[in-house]
Amino acid sequence: MLSSPFAYLDAPDGELYRRVLAAFTYAKERFVVHLRPEDIAEFLAAEGRVPLETVESKLKQLDEWGNLRSDPDTGRVVTVEDFYRARKLYQLTAEGEAAARAVQLYEREIGRRGELQTVALEDIRVRIRNLRELGGETNPDPAKIHNLLLELFGRLDSLASNAQAFMNSLQRTVDLHDVDESAFLAYKDRLIDYLQRFVSQLANKSHDIAGTLKTFDEEIAHRLLTIAAEREAYDAAFDESADAVAERLAEWEHRWSGLATWFGPATDRHNQANLLRQRARKAIPDLLETVGILQERKTGHSDRTADFLQLARWFATAPDDATAHRLWQVAFGLSTARHMTGEVVDAEPRTPWGEAETVDIAPQLRATGTYTKRGRPRKIEDRTAARAKLAEKAAKEAAELQSAQRRLATGEPVKLSDLGQLDRLEFRLLLDLLGNALAARRPGRDGRIHTTTSDGMLGIVLEPVPGGAIAEITTTDGVMYAPEHLITVIDRTGRHHD
Amino acid sequence: MIEIEQRRLAAERARSIRALLHEPMLTPAHAVFGDARRHREWLRAWFARECGWPLIDSPAVVRLRKQGLEGDSSRGAELGGIALSRRRYVLLCLALAGLERAESQITLGNLAQRLLGLAGDPKLVEAGIEFTLGNHEERRDLAAVAKLLLGMGVLKRVAGDEQSYVHGSGDALYDVDRHVLSATLAVTTGPSLVNAQDIYTQIAAVSTETFPDSDDARNRAIRHRLSRRLLDDPVMYYDELDSAETEYLTKQRPHLLRRLTEETGLVAEVRAEGIALLDPNGETTDYGMPEEGTEGHITLLVAEQLARIHRETPNSEITQDSLLRHLIEIAPTHRTHWKKDATKPENLKLLLEVALEKLVALRLVARRNDTVLARPALARYAYRPATITGGQR
């Protein structure tokens, strides 16, 4: 008979089976191995009575699945009915125990942790609401506030550390690290169910918490935290000196800002609740993928991880490096082709290589190993003076260009006709900018052209002015007429103008 | 105008074929990637028709799966010109296995942790491969593997560097490119499905190709085998072919060579002993012949010496020692051309080793213990005084 110790998970009475098995593991921890149906019924009664017949049928079923082993019960009986009933003693089989343990592991690692967190979230939610109410009162009770805050941050601490552990065990499961594969497959639906529940709880509750947090303006939060700090300072040393209070207040403020980032705006990179939700949500497809991989493995499809591992083993057992190189080339097919370079020698196809003409090798290459002739390098001229002159010229040009940029890149929209007199360089810059803007792209939906110069230093916004007016721009070299536009030039380099 | 356009396209296609023969996995980091992507349909059809090699492409990678190769021990993976040790091959495979399960980003430290878990595999331990990350040397190995993966395009460095990880002062962060990762293997059967103990059986098992049992399919398979060798290997000698291949080649040689040279820019040199496709561009190959530089020069001189002896007394085995003596003899004339200290006898010995390895890789010589035997195509490199054309200046 085939044993299937995980079958009970998907059975209609899965929960009851689980409790029956829990009774066995619980008993085993206290070194009680054999159990009678009556013992089980008694154990189950703690969570609601179950008829003995039901218990017996469940035990029989578990026996068939291979979780339990039954032996005839030869103990003394005290009623006639008992004597005629088929009496059995049950004990966990090794497989049943392993299965129960694997399931427990998931329960503890992921299921229970997920539940823990939703409880913690609920606590946080309630306390924040209470705090908000107290914050609205004119004369709140400091003890209440202080206690609420203490509880609130206690819960947040445990939530944070729990979330970490939860994510780690989830990742381990996804990576199939020290995971019982068949247990995982049997348990997968519950796991994914848990996760989905967890994700939706997290979404609702953290949204609610974030909403309440938004209603705390700085003043309220500050007032509440000050009350707590004062009370703490006083509790600690009957010391209401400003220093002690300020110190405590700083601590509380710090914790409060931590709370704010935990549940802050969803766009914040540090919003932990959001991160946790994202990771948990991402874990679902990951788990499904893992399930897929396992199923594939079972059906004999190759999976790449297994392929790479197998190749690692083959490389490890290769007799020598030469064979390892061959294996590399065959398995990865990443090696280069290889050919002789140079020119083909013309000959009849039936000519042996030994009788055909030989290759023309450049005499220079044959004699020296290089195609290029080497001689004495030319004398190097001293160009210091010329370089200095060039540098000076470049500096002067840069300074002029900068002043032109300062003149135009004000960051404010200006009409072309209001630009005033432009010198030669300023005008050239303006033409460049206009050219850039007009060549760059079509106007956006707002009717403006937005663009950036190719060096990325200046941003340009160009907007035609309706009415068909013509702007006159006076420059050192003459007057330019152009359709009136509003031009905004933005300096993107972050240089400050004085 | 139309003709010019046609020529440009043909040149792009030829360049892409050559690039893929040289580097079968192209990523956007390669200059030719754009061409290969543009012509992917054409390239896929060409490689499928000529060699039966599948071409896979996505915006992240164009990959020619060179399947069914026989394996050549002179074309292993290299890093900085040094062939990988077996140990590094093992780590590379473990790293790939670890990356399969990684998120979209990973650090070298994190990868190391994964390797630690994977390296506990009983078969590896049995083979004496240990990986504990305990010392500098092991971290160097891991950094080398990371560099290989960077070269393959499986990883892209985001921050940090491998060196700081080796010194234990930092770490490196990478993006994992899943497209490239999924294209790294060119096996026809997953190794995990092969249950053979002997490496040669293993190699054969992962490279077997099946084709329908019909005359057409059989002929196509033969043609593909020949084309693969011609495109991938420096020389194809007739005495290495089986009877079916020989028969096919006798009938179809001109036709086959035309197909292979027309679109690739390679040129065929046909002789009584075999065929070599030459690459005038030097784009499909890692070793050229001839090549510039000290090593290239010495390789040429050794080839010349061997070819001369071979032309005088065919099939004579030449000892490595006699070749070394010859090098020592001619070294003084080249002292100014070669790298510093190249003329010291112990360095010449190393350079001779490099030269012989190159000649073996180019299938121009065969080695047995410490003797060297010239193969037919080596005769191309016998020395012949240059003929001066044109008048005196």
Side-chain angles (χ1 to χ4, degrees):
Chain A
M1 188 198 73
L2 199 68
S3 95
S4 44
F6 293 106
Y8 72 89
L9 284 172
D10 301 325
D13 273 345
E15 184 52 22
L16 185 55
Y17 282 117
R18 207 178 52 79
R19 280 167 57 201
V20 170
L21 287 171
F24 277 95
T25 41
Y26 177 74
K28 186 152 180 164
E29 279 161 14
R30 299 196 323 290
F31 307 105
V32 177
V33 180
H34 293 94
L35 292 177
R36 294 186 174 82
E38 295 83 350
D39 306 333
I40 306 284
E42 197 177 320
F43 179 88
L44 295 180
E47 291 180 50
R49 186 161 291 289
V50 182
L52 191 60
E53 292 76 43
T54 317
V55 174
E56 282 189 328
S57 73
K58 296 294 171 227
L59 287 170
K60 200 156 157 267
Q61 184 59 61
L62 284 167
D63 183 5
E64 274 177 32
W65 280 330
N67 299 63
L68 298 177
R69 204 182 83 195
S70 58
D71 301 301
D73 180 2
T74 53
R76 225 178 125 258
V77 293
V78 288
T79 67
V80 177
E81 292 88 355
D82 279 355
F83 184 83
Y84 285 108
R85 209 156 44 94
R87 285 166 303 136
K88 292 209 161 147
L89 277 174
Y90 289 94
Q91 68 177 39
L92 274 178
T93 60
E95 278 184 329
E97 197 176 348
R101 208 171 298 169
V103 170
Q104 255 181 350
L105 182 82
Y106 288 117
E107 295 268 354
R108 196 176 54 238
E109 288 277 318
I110 297 171
R112 213 169 50 87
R113 280 195 200 280
E115 299 290 332
L116 275 178
Q117 293 177 87
T118 41
V119 173
L121 275 170
E122 177 62 19
D123 289 350
I124 290 173
R125 193 181 70 86
V126 170
R127 280 171 183 70
I128 287 211
R129 283 187 171 252
N130 293 345
L131 264 178
R132 184 67 194 84
E133 281 159 22
L134 283 173
E137 289 174 20
T138 41
N139 210 348
D141 177 356
K144 262 193 194 164
I145 289 175
H146 187 208
N147 278 335
L148 272 175
L149 280 169
L150 280 175
E151 284 169 1
L152 178 64
F153 287 114
R155 302 307 279 160
L156 186 63
D157 273 347
S158 74
L159 176 65
S161 61
N162 206 331
Q164 185 66 32
F166 173 76
M167 279 335 292
N168 285 346
S169 46
L170 204 57
Q171 193 56 50
R172 270 208 308 282
T173 304
V174 169
D175 292 346
L176 286 177
H177 280 317
D178 37 72
V179 165
D180 177 334
E181 290 178 13
S182 47
F184 169 71
L185 281 180
Y187 203 73
K188 64 175 191 297
D189 296 338
R190 290 166 155 255
L191 212 51
I192 286 164
D193 198 40
Y194 258 133
L195 273 177
Q196 276 166 338
R197 255 212 320 270
F198 173 67
V199 169
S200 68
Q201 286 271 13
L202 194 59
N204 291 334
K205 297 219 159 101
S206 46
H207 179 76
D208 189 275
I209 292 170
T212 318
L213 271 176
K214 271 206 204 95
T215 63
F216 279 85
D217 50 28
E218 287 211 7
E219 188 207 344
I220 296 180
H222 185 77
R223 198 156 61 95
L224 290 172
L225 296 177
T226 313
I227 290 172
E230 279 169 356
R231 190 159 180 277
E232 235 172 38
Y234 182 74
D235 277 357
F238 303 109
D239 173 6
E240 286 204 51
S241 72
D243 269 0
V245 174
E247 206 174 292
R248 310 260 165 186
L249 181 60
E251 272 176 39
W252 281 110
E253 295 267 10
H254 183 68
R255 287 183 208 160
W256 187 263
S257 74
L259 177 74
T261 48
W262 241 94
F263 299 103
T267 48
D268 186 353
R269 224 160 37 86
H270 300 288
N271 175 337
Q272 297 292 317
N274 208 21
L275 275 181
L276 186 60
R277 194 168 72 241
Q278 275 173 5
R279 288 189 61 184
R281 194 184 294 140
K282 187 177 172 318
I284 296 175
D286 284 358
L287 277 173
L288 288 171
E289 193 183 331
T290 309
V291 170
I293 288 169
L294 285 180
Q295 308 278 36
E296 272 193 356
R297 263 193 218 171
K298 287 200 156 171
T299 53
H301 278 295
S302 103
D303 100 74
R304 275 200 310 270
T305 312
D307 283 347
F308 287 132
L309 267 174
Q310 183 78 314
L311 279 172
R313 291 182 197 122
W314 291 357
F315 275 118
T317 51
D320 49 34
D321 283 1
T323 318
H325 295 321
R326 274 193 58 197
L327 176 59
W328 159 261
Q329 203 199 347
V330 169
F332 287 81
L334 285 169
S335 308
T336 170
R338 195 172 276 157
H339 295 284
M340 286 180 275
T341 43
E343 297 300 321
V344 166
V345 178
D346 219 20
E348 269 293 300
R350 281 184 296 276
T351 321
W353 259 299
E355 291 169 22
E357 288 280 293
T358 58
V359 186
D360 266 332
I361 304 278
Q364 179 74 19
L365 179 70
R366 188 180 166 271
T368 65
T370 164
Y371 286 109
T372 44
K373 268 206 160 59
R374 278 202 306 222
R376 286 222 348 249
R378 286 181 35 206
K379 205 168 127 284
I380 293 170
E381 281 178 53
D382 184 9
R383 300 191 190 276
T384 323
R387 247 194 240 118
K389 221 177 189 149
L390 274 173
E392 200 180 316
K393 189 160 173 263
K396 185 164 166 283
E397 276 176 11
E400 283 170 350
L401 187 64
Q402 269 203 350
S403 93
Q405 279 186 5
R406 266 203 295 275
R407 165 84 195 271
L408 292 174
T410 55
E412 304 292 329
V414 185
K415 275 194 182 157
L416 290 181
S417 48
D418 296 344
L419 281 171
Q421 173 93 11
L422 297 179
D423 68 25
R424 190 170 298 165
L425 198 60
E426 287 163 352
F427 181 58
R428 216 177 71 201
L429 182 65
L430 176 72
L431 281 184
D432 270 356
L433 293 174
L434 288 173
N436 234 316
L438 295 169
R441 50 188 71 177
R442 302 226 298 277
R445 249 176 289 176
D446 51 3
R448 300 185 190 136
I449 296 176
H450 295 260
T451 182
T452 307
T453 52
S454 56
D455 57 8
M457 284 169 76
L458 299 176
I460 310 152
V461 184
L462 195 65
E463 189 181 0
V465 175
I470 295 291
E472 287 182 27
I473 303 165
T474 2
T475 79
T476 351
D477 298 323
V479 183
M480 169 173 137
Y481 299 93
E484 183 66 283
H485 276 79
L486 267 178
I487 184 167
T488 320
V489 184
I490 305 125
D491 186 341
R492 293 202 189 282
T493 56
R495 281 191 307 245
H496 291 287
H497 323 292
D498 347 80
Chain B
M1 190 64 215
I2 295 288
E3 198 185 328
I4 290 174
E5 180 65 2
Q6 290 293 352
R7 273 218 294 271
R8 194 179 58 80
L9 290 177
E12 280 179 5
R13 292 196 292 253
R15 205 168 38 237
S16 304
I17 291 179
R18 291 199 296 265
L20 282 162
L21 287 173
H22 180 47
E23 293 213 56
M25 193 149 68
L26 296 176
T27 61
H30 295 90
V32 73
F33 182 77
D35 286 351
R37 273 286 284 169
R38 228 185 347 272
H39 294 290
R40 60 187 183 269
E41 293 303 331
W42 186 91
L43 289 166
R44 186 178 303 125
W46 191 86
F47 278 113
R49 198 174 56 236
E50 301 307 334
C51 326
W53 278 337
L55 186 87
I56 299 155
D57 76 275
S58 72
V61 63
V62 176
R63 161 71 146 133
L64 175 65
R65 279 217 163 107
K66 288 188 180 180
Q67 292 176 344
L69 296 176
E70 302 199 353
D72 166 354
S73 55
S74 72
R75 275 186 267 185
E78 282 189 355
L79 191 67
I82 298 163
L84 250 63
S85 60
R86 255 177 310 163
R87 182 184 161 72
R88 283 189 175 178
Y89 274 127
V90 173
L91 289 182
L92 177 66
C93 292
L94 290 181
L96 286 163
L99 288 173
E100 271 295 334
R101 288 285 153 77
E103 305 259 324
S104 53
Q105 288 195 311
I106 196 163
T107 64
L108 200 44
N110 185 307
L111 184 60
Q113 289 306 321
R114 283 168 188 263
L115 282 196
L116 282 180
L118 293 165
D121 185 89
K123 279 239 171 60
L124 295 178
V125 176
E126 208 176 298
I129 299 279
E130 274 202 17
F131 186 72
T132 56
L133 263 189
N135 58 33
H136 195 80
E137 191 50 40
E138 292 204 328
R139 287 207 295 272
R140 277 241 317 262
D141 280 336
L142 188 65
V145 165
K147 287 202 182 98
L148 263 164
L149 292 167
L150 284 166
M152 284 158 81
V154 173
L155 296 179
K156 289 196 185 61
R157 197 185 296 111
V158 180
D161 65 279
E162 294 77 38
Q163 219 40 46
S164 65
Y165 172 81
V166 172
H167 297 317
S169 61
D171 205 340
L173 172 69
Y174 307 105
D175 284 337
V176 183
D177 191 326
R178 302 211 79 81
H179 289 285
V180 181
L181 180 61
S182 64
T184 47
L185 286 178
V187 290
T188 49
T189 306
S192 57
L193 303 178
V194 174
N195 203 353
Q197 296 309 312
D198 161 69
I199 186 122
Y200 304 102
T201 322
Q202 289 163 351
I203 288 178
V206 294
S207 57
T208 337
E209 290 163 291
T210 48
F211 49 89
D213 192 14
S214 69
D215 283 353
D216 266 4
R218 251 193 305 278
N219 271 334
R220 196 175 323 119
I222 291 169
R223 183 168 58 81
H224 286 168
R225 279 207 301 276
L226 293 167
S227 298
R228 286 172 188 183
R229 282 187 202 165
L230 285 164
L231 288 175
D232 215 45
D233 295 342
V235 187
M236 184 177 84
Y237 292 110
Y238 295 147
D239 62 12
E240 295 169 342
L241 304 181
D242 65 25
S243 56
E245 288 164 349
T246 311
E247 191 187 344
Y248 184 92
L249 203 56
T250 319
K251 289 184 195 148
Q252 302 286 342
R253 195 194 62 222
H255 174 64
L256 181 75
L257 291 179
R258 196 173 51 248
R259 295 176 70 148
L260 296 183
T261 53
E262 221 161 41
E263 307 282 5
T264 59
L266 300 172
V267 275
E269 184 167 290
V270 185
R271 291 287 182 273
E273 304 94 333
I275 304 170
L277 288 195
L278 270 70
D279 177 15
N281 301 288
E283 285 171 5
T284 61
T285 180
D286 51 352
Y287 297 155
M289 181 78 189
E291 263 181 341
E292 287 190 286
T294 307
E295 287 178 3
H297 192 206
I298 289 178
T299 307
L300 181 63
L301 294 171
V302 169
E304 204 175 87
Q305 170 74 353
L306 281 164
R308 177 184 8 218
I309 298 172
H310 183 66
R311 280 208 173 207
E312 286 159 10
T313 50
N315 296 330
S316 56
E317 291 192 348
I318 302 136
T319 62
Q320 253 169 262
D321 286 344
S322 69
L323 287 170
L324 184 60
R325 279 197 300 278
H326 171 71
L327 274 185
I328 292 172
E329 208 173 297
I330 59 172
T333 36
H334 297 296
R335 212 182 50 237
T336 51
H337 310 143
W338 290 349
K339 281 192 299 209
K340 204 168 149 287
D341 294 341
T343 51
K344 286 186 177 167
E346 63 269 27
N347 291 341
L348 281 178
K349 200 173 169 165
L350 293 177
L351 286 163
L352 173 63
E353 184 58 34
V354 171
L356 288 174
E357 274 175 14
K358 278 195 180 176
L359 294 174
V360 169
L362 289 161
R363 309 217 168 162
L364 298 174
V365 305
R367 292 172 79 180
R368 218 171 297 136
N369 305 326
D370 61 348
T371 59
V372 183
L373 184 68
R375 297 179 83 178
L378 184 75
R380 305 177 78 240
Y381 296 99
Y383 173 59
R384 160 172 69 99
T387 44
I388 310 288
T389 52
Q392 293 280 330
R393 287 217 195 140

